[in-house]
Amino acid sequence: LMADVTLNKGNTIFSRKEKKKIDICLLNQGGIRSTLPKGNVTSRTAFKIMPFENSLVVVALKGEQINEIVDYFIKEKQPHPLSGITFTIDKNNHPKKILVQGNPVEKEKIYYVGTNDYLANGGDNMSFFSKGIKTYDLNYKLRNILIDYFKEIDTIPVINTTRISVE
């Protein structure tokens, strides 16, 4: 949910400011500090989920770094929030069928990856972000993204799409 909401809300600003589209959103599970409770959701809920002052940034990465993101997931085995990309881990623990927005990754193509400023600066050992061609600061706190989303939606949907599959 967090990655999907961040991708969608971030795209509103990024497309307006830069005339570009965010392809992928990658956040860190450690940045999410609470569950989303059943019942009424308030701004306080967003503060519990996102207590940090992290801002949304977009990093322009080549397809080669997108492959590094997938390798990172396989190596770290952490359920980091992810949107816009799907892949399969084969029986030998290698990636295959890596798709960004439903299309195969192209090594030299530029992809725009939404993340938080902590990760963009190498947090959680996500060193692939340091290879970015350009970084765009959207000046939009992740917490405010949640608050804006909560204000717009009546019932929060259960999202159960498969993003990473294992053979």
Side-chain angles (χ1 to χ4, degrees):
L1 174 72
M2 189 71 208
D4 286 350
V5 169
T6 302
L7 180 97
N8 291 331
K9 301 292 285 170
N11 256 329
T12 303
I13 293 171
F14 192 57
S15 62
R16 188 178 66 236
K17 283 185 171 182
E18 301 294 333
K19 309 293 186 248
K20 295 174 179 20
K21 192 169 185 210
I22 301 171
D23 299 296
I24 298 169
C25 180
L26 170 59
L27 302 172
N28 57 324
Q29 71 150 64
I32 300 171
R33 293 301 172 107
S34 182
T35 59
L36 186 60
K38 185 176 182 177
N40 291 333
V41 176
T42 65
S43 293
R44 172 174 257 165
T45 306
F47 273 84
K48 286 180 180 178
I49 293 170
M50 281 278 153
F52 306 108
E53 296 298 315
N54 294 115
S55 290
L56 177 60
V57 298
V58 178
V59 182
L61 297 174
K62 285 192 172 185
E64 193 172 336
Q65 280 72 57
I66 302 305
N67 290 329
E68 289 180 37
I69 291 172
V70 172
D71 291 340
Y72 176 87
F73 266 85
I74 293 170
K75 180 181 173 217
E76 295 294 320
K77 296 180 171 61
Q78 294 292 320
H80 297 299
L82 188 64
S83 184
I85 183 172
T86 60
F87 61 91
T88 299
I89 303 170
D90 72 15
K91 293 174 185 170
N92 297 316
N93 216 31
H94 297 292
K96 66 181 204 180
K97 298 181 194 163
I98 303 170
L99 303 175
V100 174
Q101 296 295 327
N103 298 305
V105 174
E106 297 174 39
K107 193 174 182 177
E108 293 300 318
K109 182 177 176 176
I110 303 298
Y111 295 91
Y112 296 96
V113 181
T115 191
N116 64 50
D117 52 344
Y118 168 73
L119 297 179
N121 291 316
D124 285 356
N125 297 313
M126 294 192 187
S127 57
F128 41 81
F129 283 123
S130 68
K131 299 174 186 174
I133 296 163
K134 185 171 182 180
T135 299
Y136 306 84
D137 186 347
L138 300 188
N139 197 26
Y140 196 7
K141 302 260 185 242
L142 294 183
R143 177 187 316 114
N144 292 344
I145 290 172
L146 271 184
I147 291 169
D148 291 347
Y149 175 73
F150 293 159
K151 287 178 182 176
E152 292 173 1
I153 191 114
D154 179 60
T155 303
I156 297 170
V158 174
I159 300 169
N160 58 8
T161 57
T162 301
R163 290 144 200 237
I164 303 170
S165 59
V166 179
E167 288 186 335

